[in-house]
Amino acid sequence: WGAVTGAKDYTVTCGTTTTTVSDTTATFEGVAPGVYMVSVVANPADAMLNSASEAGTATVTVEAPMVEPKSIEIEFPVEGAVSGQSVGTIYSGDVIISSTGSWRTAKADGRDCIYIGRTSSSELRVEAQNGKVITKITMTAPIGYVIDLKGKEYDGYTTTTFTSVTTLEWTKECSSRVVFTPAGGSHSNIETITVEYR
C-alpha cells in the first residue's frame, strides 16, 4: 500500500491475525488456503495532531500450494518372483501395491507378468499410506495379451470396468485404496504398473 503522510506505523489485519509494521508491506505466514479480508490502518506519529485512519480493505485469496505428483514404476517380474507362485506385496512405502494373483515368469512367449485368471478371486490392490492421495494408476499388458479387470475405489465406492485393454488407465483421487478384480471376459496379464500420487 502507499505510505500515509504523518503515519508512525500501520496495523494490518488478515482474517483474525493482526500485526503492526513500520513499512508499507506485511507478511502473514502459515495462512490456510481460503479467501480473507485484509485491512490496513495508518497510526499517527503524533496523536495530538492526527487520529488513526479509516481502514483500507482488500480481499486476498490464498491458494493451496501445488504439490508435484510422485510416481512408482514397476516392471515385472520383480526379483525373487517364481512362476506359478502367489505375488504378495510388490511395493511398500507411501503406497502399497500387492496382489493375490500369480507370477508368469520366464515363459517361452516372453510373458513376465502378474497373472489374474478371469474366474479367479485374485485381486490387485493399490493402497494410499501416510496421508497420500492416489491420482493415477496405469497398467500395461505384454505384447499380444490383455487386461480385463474391474477397478473399485474405496473413497466413493465407484467401480470402473476395463475390458480387454492393452493399457489400463485409472484416473481419479483416492486416499484409501483401489482394488482390481477379474472382469470375467479374459485372463489379465500385467507387465508394468505405474502409480502416481501426491
Side-chain angles (χ1 to χ4, degrees), residues 16-87:
T16 59
T17 305
T18 299
T19 187
T20 300
V21 295
S22 57
D23 204 352
T24 55
T25 61
T27 302
F28 293 85
E29 294 183 1
V31 179
V35 178
Y36 296 89
M37 179 65 70
V38 176
S39 67
V40 179
V41 173
N43 300 312
D46 187 341
M48 299 294 285
L49 296 175
N50 298 303
S51 58
S53 72
E54 290 185 16
T57 61
T59 301
V60 175
T61 301
V62 177
E63 296 182 354
M66 291 296 294
V67 178
E68 290 295 320
K70 298 180 181 179
S71 67
I72 300 158
E73 298 178 32
I74 301 173
E75 187 172 326
F76 301 123
V78 293
E79 187 177 340
V82 177
S83 188
Q85 292 190 0
S86 182
V87 175

Side-chain angles (χ1 to χ4, degrees), residues 134-146:
I134 301 163
T135 56
K136 186 175 182 181
I137 301 169
T138 305
M139 299 182 209
T140 62
I143 293 172
Y145 295 91
V146 296

Side-chain angles (χ1 to χ4, degrees), residues 2 4 28 32-33 38 65 81 86 101 103 109 117 125 133 138 144 159 164 166 178 188-189 194:
V4 176
F28 293 85
V38 176
S86 182
W103 293 115
D109 59 7
R125 300 168 67 96
V133 175
T138 305
T159 303
S164 298
T166 56
V178 184
S188 293
N189 295 272
T194 302

